[in-house]
Amino acid sequence: MDLETLILQPNQLDQAVVLLQQGEIVAFPTETVYGLGANALDGTAVSKIFAAKDRPGDNPLIIHIHDYSQVESLVKKLPRAARELMDKFWPGPLSLVLPKSETVVKEVSAGLDTVALRMPDHPIALELLKHGGLPLAAPSANTSGKPSPTRASHVYHDLKGKIPAIIDGGATGWGVESTVLDCSSWPFRILRPGGVTLEQLRELMPIEVDPGIYQQNNDQPRSPGMKYQHYAPDATVVLVVGDQITMKINQLADSPENANLKIGVLATTESKDAYPGLTVLDLGSRLNQKMIASRIYHLLRVADQLDLDLVFVEGFSEAKMGMAIMNRLRRAANYQILET
Ligand code: TXA
Ligand code: MG
C-alpha cells in the first residue's frame, strides 16, 4: 500500500529527524540536488533508499556529514591531499572517494572497499545532519534513470507514496550533482564532473579525468553509476554540437521523418529566437554556466510535462562547469550526439 508522503517545511525538521532516527528515509535539499537520506550506519534503513528509487544494488551511495570529526570513523586512511581538498572545498559540491572503514555498512558501499563522503553547503541539509546526529547516506532523490530533482515537486512527482517525507527547501542552487573525485589512488581522478571544476582542482594538485565522463562505459567503470542510463526524460534527446547548431536543429526539425513529432529545443538565451515554430525552453545565457547547469534537469522534466517527443539540445564548451553540463547532456541524450 502506498505511504502518505508529507511535505515538511524547514521549520519542521524535528519531524524529519524523528523519521530518520526510526530508520526511515527522508528527502532533503542540498546545494546541488535533492537527496534521499537514511541513517548511513543502518543497513536496513539504507536498503529502503534502493527500493524507493528502484536503484541497482551495485551503485554505491555518498555519505553526507556536517563535521570533519565524522571523517575519521568512516575512512581507513585519509591522504593529506584529500584533507587539503576538504579544507578548501567543504562544505560544497565535492564528494571524495576514500578507503572505507569497517563502520561503513555494505549497503552504502555496494561491496566496494571505498566510500564517498561529502559535506553539503546548504543550511537545511547541515541543520538536519547536526540535529539528527547521524551521517546520512543519500543519492539524488529521483527514480533511478530520471533527471535529478532540483525542486521538492520533482521529488514528489517521482517518489510520492514511496517515501514518508520531503523537506521543501525551494529550488537547489547548483542544479547538477557534486563532483565525484576518486582519492583511493594517486593522482586523484574525477569520476563525475560537478560544481567544483577540474581547473579549480588542478590549481592544487595533479588530477586525472576518467574517460567515462566523455563516453559510454558499460564494462567496469571506477564509478558504478557511470554505466547506467541517466538523467533521461521520456522524450528522445539529441545533443547538437559544433558551430552550425541552430541551422542543423532547424534542418532536422523540418525533415519529413520528424514531421509528426512534437519537437522542442533546449536553447540558450542568445539563440532562443532562432527556432520559429518549435517549442523553445530557455537554458539561460551561454555566458552564465551556473544558470545553465541549474536549469538542465528542470527543463528536461518540463519537456516531459509538455509531452514533447523529440528534444534538441544545444552543445557547450567543456571549459570549467561546461564539463559537468556536457556530461549530463550527453547522458540525457543517451550519447546521441550530432556534430555540425
Ligand atoms: O550532489 C550530489 O552528489 C547528490 C546530493 C544528494 O549530495 N548526490 C548524488 O548521489 O548525486 P548519487 O547516488 O545520485 O550519485 C553518486 C555517484 C554515483 O555515480 C556513484 O556510482 C558514485 O557517486 N559513487 C558513490 N560511491 C562511490 C564509490 N565508493 N566509488 C566510486 N563511485 C562512487
Ligand atoms: Mg543520482
Side-chain angles (χ1 to χ4, degrees), residues 28 54 137 149 267 293 302:
F28 63 98
D54 200 13
V302 170

Side-chain angles (χ1 to χ4, degrees), residues 30 32-35 53 55 59-62 64 95 97 112 114-116 118 138-140 176-178 180 191-192 222-226:
T30 81
T32 57
V33 300
Y34 275 75
K53 278 182 61 88
R55 181 179 176 101
N59 195 3
L61 306 180
I62 297 169
H64 297 67
S95 298
V97 174
L112 300 179
T114 53
V115 65
R118 105 175 180 92
S140 49
V176 291
E177 307 85 340
S178 61
V180 176
L191 302 181
R192 179 180 73 183
R222 295 257 284 260
S223 179
M226 293 204 295

Side-chain angles (χ1 to χ4, degrees), residues 160-189:
K160 68 169 173 298
K162 297 182 173 166
I163 63 174
I166 301 167
I167 304 168
D168 187 352
T172 59
W174 289 94
V176 291
E177 307 85 340
S178 61
T179 304
V180 176
L181 188 69
D182 185 352
C183 305
S184 66
S185 56
W186 183 261
F188 296 167
R189 171 187 280 230

Side-chain angles (χ1 to χ4, degrees), residues 20-285:
L20 290 166
Q21 289 174 341
Q22 288 170 343
E24 277 305 328
I25 54 180
V26 174
F28 63 98
T30 81
E31 82 282 28
T32 57
V33 300
Y34 275 75
L36 180 58
N39 176 0
L41 308 175
D42 176 348
T44 311
V46 171
S47 60
K48 293 181 185 171
I49 294 176
F50 285 83
K53 278 182 61 88
D54 200 13
R55 181 179 176 101
D58 67 349
N59 195 3
L61 306 180
I62 297 169
I63 296 185
H64 297 67
I65 58 173
H66 70 276
D67 193 285
Y68 291 95
S69 65
Q70 295 170 288
V71 174
E72 214 173 301
S73 70
L74 298 168
V75 309
K76 189 151 83 185
K77 198 175 124 237
L78 181 62
R80 200 201 310 225
R83 175 69 212 209
E84 200 185 322
L85 294 174
M86 291 173 183
D87 287 340
K88 171 100 181 169
F89 295 109
W90 280 7
L94 179 65
S95 298
L96 303 175
V97 174
L98 293 157
K100 77 174 187 80
S101 76
E102 300 298 317
T103 316
V104 178
V105 298
K106 64 177 188 315
E107 287 82 357
V108 168
S109 55
L112 300 179
D113 52 13
T114 53
V115 65
L117 300 182
R118 105 175 180 92
M119 190 185 289
D121 187 15
H122 191 289
I124 295 176
L126 288 171
E127 185 55 32
L128 186 66
L129 288 163
K130 208 182 284 179
H131 201 57
L134 301 168
L136 294 179
S140 49
N142 51 300
T143 298
S144 242
K146 290 289 153 199
S148 293
T150 57
R151 303 173 182 209
S153 59
H154 298 163
V155 182
Y156 191 76
H157 176 272
D158 281 14
L159 301 178
K160 68 169 173 298
K162 297 182 173 166
I163 63 174
I166 301 167
I167 304 168
D168 187 352
T172 59
W174 289 94
V176 291
E177 307 85 340
S178 61
T179 304
V180 176
L181 188 69
D182 185 352
C183 305
S184 66
S185 56
W186 183 261
F188 296 167
R189 171 187 280 230
I190 297 184
L191 302 181
R192 179 180 73 183
V196 172
T197 64
L198 173 65
E199 290 86 343
Q200 284 175 300
L201 294 168
R202 281 196 173 149
E203 274 175 26
L204 300 179
M205 58 191 70
I207 297 285
E208 286 181 352
V209 177
D210 196 277
I213 286 170
Y214 300 107
Q215 70 222 7
Q216 200 159 15
N217 182 348
N218 292 316
D219 316 327
Q220 281 295 336
R222 295 257 284 260
S223 179
M226 293 204 295
K227 75 180 172 217
Y228 298 108
Q229 203 200 338
H230 254 77
Y231 319 128
D234 297 331
T236 300
V237 178
V238 177
L239 177 59
V240 185
V241 300
D243 47 18
Q244 306 281 339
I245 295 177
T246 51
M247 202 182 77
K248 185 72 183 173
I249 291 177
N250 280 307
Q251 219 175 44
L252 290 165
D254 275 344
S255 80
E257 68 193 279
N258 294 328
N260 296 317
L261 301 182
K262 208 167 158 191
I263 300 178
V265 187
L266 256 62
T268 49
T269 307
E270 285 82 358
S271 56
K272 71 175 167 35
D273 297 325
Y275 304 103
L278 301 182
T279 302
V280 176
L281 302 173
D282 186 356
L283 277 168
S285 168

